[in-house]
Amino acid sequence: FGGVLEPRYTLADAVRDGVLTKYFYRPHTVALTEDELTEWRLISQAVSQLRARVSAGDATLGLARRLKLKLIQRSRIVKHAAGKVHLAVEVLSEHYEPGQRWLVYCDDLVQLEAVCQALVSADLQPLPFHSQMTGDRRGTLEWLDYRGGIVVAIKCLDEGVDIPSVSHALILASSKNPREFIQRRGRVLRTAPNKTLADVHDAIVVPARSAAPPGQIEDPITAGELARAIEFAEHAANPASAADLRQVAIDAGIDWRGLLREGVEDEDE
């Protein structure tokens, strides 16, 4: 169509018009462990060096591919941050009540299994949902819809599955692009009978405030995702939830408004 068709129909418009359910947004910042942060810095240093060589026109064979692989390695540190598993136990132990319908998004099967094991150890009963499961996938969703519970899923729920009765979500999966970010959070905003409000808990990996030397800004971690989380928070029924995230962006030297204007995606995959 040659660009975005005007006028734009935003998430805020959909909530205002009753197309989507009003929601509370509860972002939770997750810091990398010392080991994860050390690895992040080492890879970031290599990324900077490779990017400089590529920008300078270095024609060394495979240089661009090496840069891409380093970016992927760095992204995996964020995706598999150990603090996300601890956060899942903390949030669900404190907030889950029998009969509620929760959806927990994980990045991959490794994280899903770690989260399920941790929840079982905390006396919670998660229902895993993924493409490789041997059980009845449809039955799992029907159980959630009828009885409630905690479904822990990966990308197979991104598209094609509609469970409008889900009222709570915990997003552990990192989102590289804006569409995926909104799609995952929008999963819990579907309207349904007797559903007037949704709760979205979000894991946002951020740099440790004390990680960088005085006067030096730490390399931003998932800057685009942080910017989109701020925007999502500003349209929530509790817009004050954006305040802490804005401060995180300021501390990390992230121009989150600029990122949103430009529609920039996170570079790591």
Side-chain angles (χ1 to χ4, degrees), residues 29 209 240-249:
T29 55
R209 293 191 180 187
S241 61
D244 289 342
L245 294 179
R246 285 195 292 264
Q247 188 60 52
V248 169

Side-chain angles (χ1 to χ4, degrees), residues 84 105-107 111 171-175 184-185 202-203 225:
K84 291 184 177 182
Y105 267 105
C106 294
D107 263 302
Q111 188 177 67
I171 315 294
L172 301 178
S174 297
S175 300
R184 288 176 176 173
R185 286 148 189 83
D202 210 346
E225 186 174 38

Side-chain angles (χ1 to χ4, degrees), residues 40-63:
W40 170 271
R41 287 171 169 166
L42 289 173
I43 295 177
S44 293
Q45 184 178 16
V47 165
S48 297
Q49 294 170 349
L50 289 169
R51 184 182 287 119
R53 292 176 60 184
V54 170
S55 299
D58 190 332
T60 303
L61 185 64
L63 193 61

